[in-house]
Amino acid sequence: MELKLKVNYKNVKINIDPTKRLIDFLREDLNLTGVKEGCSEGECGACTIILNEEAVTSCTILAGQVDGCEIITIEGLEQSGELDVIQKSFIENGAIQCGFCTPGMILSCKALLLKNPNPTEDEIKRAIEGNLCRCTGYNKIVKAVKDITVKEV
């Protein structure tokens, strides 16, 4: 099928097997390797992307389902060489440990802040509850998001 969508603010038109998983399409066809594969069952959140302003796990979606959609991956947050405010806050707060879960965590937080620029601590925790970190340390991640709630996202 011919797939037309917007990925990281750029139009994409490509012929693709519609049954290919979205994570595979992003990693293999678009070379967006910031999308990580963890559990492959939508449970760990490592493959989280923003699809039409919602944080979703890309391993549970088929490429054929995103025709006409807009996707943002971790690669799409940096603009003109400048990191997104969420990325900066994660760095400043030491919220990045081994880094494997970090892209998914950041995108879950970005989706939250796009809808709610001033979330409570409970809302932040709820937004990242689908993202597992095996290094522990969720407190620094929550603090990183709380620190930017007064900044523009």
Side-chain angles (χ1 to χ4, degrees):
M1 85 177 268
E2 183 177 87
L3 183 65
K4 294 180 188 173
L5 68 157
K6 191 173 275 191
V7 180
N8 295 334
Y9 311 104
K10 296 177 184 166
N11 291 320
V12 174
K13 186 169 136 183
I14 189 169
N15 285 318
I16 190 165
D17 175 355
T19 64
K20 188 172 195 172
R21 295 182 316 158
L22 181 56
I23 186 173
D24 298 327
F25 165 66
L26 293 170
R27 289 182 59 85
E28 296 167 7
D29 296 285
L30 300 183
N31 199 30
L32 297 170
T33 55
V35 183
K36 305 295 184 204
E37 182 155 14
C39 68
S40 304
E41 297 176 350
E43 297 292 328
C44 74
C47 67
T48 299
I49 59 164
I50 298 176
L51 175 64
N52 294 339
E53 299 188 359
E54 296 286 337
V56 300
T57 52
S58 61
C59 71
T60 58
I61 298 171
L62 299 176
Q65 294 176 286
V66 298
D67 191 41
C69 294
E70 185 169 347
I71 290 173
I72 300 173
T73 69
I74 196 71
E75 291 89 346
L77 292 188
E78 177 190 325
Q79 297 294 313
S80 303
E82 184 79 17
L83 294 177
D84 186 270
V85 66
I86 297 173
Q87 293 170 308
K88 289 178 185 174
S89 190
F90 267 57
I91 293 168
E92 291 166 2
N93 285 282
I96 299 169
Q97 290 141 34
C98 83
F100 190 79
C101 71
T102 303
M105 287 279 190
I106 288 174
L107 289 169
S108 289
C109 294
K110 180 73 175 180
L112 168 67
L113 294 172
L114 287 172
K115 291 183 177 180
N116 179 2
N118 194 17
T120 65
E121 187 169 320
D122 286 342
E123 290 169 328
I124 296 167
K125 289 178 180 176
R126 207 170 313 121
I128 62 172
E129 69 186 5
N131 298 84
L132 300 179
C133 173
R134 298 194 188 280
C135 300
T136 183
Y138 290 92
N139 290 337
K140 290 181 179 180
I141 293 167
V142 172
K143 183 176 182 326
V145 177
K146 286 173 62 177
D147 279 1
I148 60 173
T149 56
V150 293
K151 299 176 186 175
E152 184 179 336
V153 289

